[in-house]
Every structure is written in structure tokens, then in C-alpha cells.
Amino acid sequence: MAGPKPQSQEVRLKTGIVAIGSYPGKDTNPMIWAVDAALIYKLPFKSEMQMPVRMVIARMNASNKDLLVYSPLPLNEELYKQLDSLGAVKLIIAPNSMHHLFVS
């Protein structure tokens, strides 16, 4: 028997863009960033289910500012400005049927 079906969903951001790594042996400039969020499913009877999700941003080449975005999340104005300050998004990878909803 299946459980209750979600009535709607939303994404709640937990962090802005946070540096999580650099290329080994190059320098200390960040090359990998992450944004953590919770995907909220609204269930019947005023309950909800939260699932942690993460968008990862990586510099594609140490010599330029081209970016790859993996598992995109919806961007608010603040996140858009932060992402824009890092460089130009050249490649977006939506690894499953949920993440394609946030590609735009």
C-alpha cells in the first residue's frame, strides 16, 4: 500500500553559495562551490516531508571563469548575483527527473 501523495513542493534554501574546494596543487582559490537546500513536499493533513538537496558549481578550467552547474536549484535574486560574480555558466547537468524542473 502506497503512502500519501505530495500535494505540492517547494525548495527552501539553507545556504548561499559556499566554497567547498580547490584544485589540488594549484592555489587556494576556490574552484568548487555548493548551495544546500531542502526540497519540501506538502502532504495531506498539514504535514510535510523534507529532503536535503545540493547544487554544485565547479570552475571548468583554472585559467578562465567558465562554470559547470550540477543538480540545479531555483535561483533567487541573491543567488543569481553570487553565481554571476563567479563567472559564466557554460554547462548545466540535471542528473535526474527532479532537477530538470529547475533548468531555465
Side-chain angles (χ1 to χ4, degrees):
M1 184 161 116
K5 293 186 178 181
Q7 294 179 329
S8 66
Q9 69 183 34
E10 69 176 276
V11 175
R12 292 184 192 149
L13 298 173
K14 293 182 177 181
T15 67
I17 295 176
V18 177
I20 59 172
S22 59
Y23 287 137
K26 296 290 181 187
D27 54 34
T28 57
N29 290 333
M31 301 299 282
I32 303 170
W33 300 265
V35 177
D36 289 325
L39 185 57
I40 310 297
Y41 290 101
K42 302 288 185 182
L43 301 171
F45 309 111
K46 297 185 180 181
S47 62
E48 64 183 31
M49 178 178 71
Q50 294 190 27
M51 184 170 65
V53 292
R54 173 178 274 186
M55 174 173 70
V56 175
I57 303 137
R59 191 161 320 280
M60 294 173 62
N61 187 324
S63 64
N64 63 33
K65 290 188 139 196
D66 292 347
L67 301 174
L68 171 147
V69 173
Y70 183 84
S71 294
L73 295 173
L75 299 178
N76 59 24
E77 188 174 338
E78 181 183 339
L79 276 178
Y80 181 82
K81 287 178 182 178
Q82 289 178 358
L83 185 60
D84 192 46
S85 73
L86 295 176
V89 175
K90 297 293 182 177
L91 182 63
I92 299 172
I93 299 173
N96 60 41
S97 61
M98 290 303 295
H99 287 281
H100 87 279
L101 298 173
F102 309 126
V103 175
S104 61

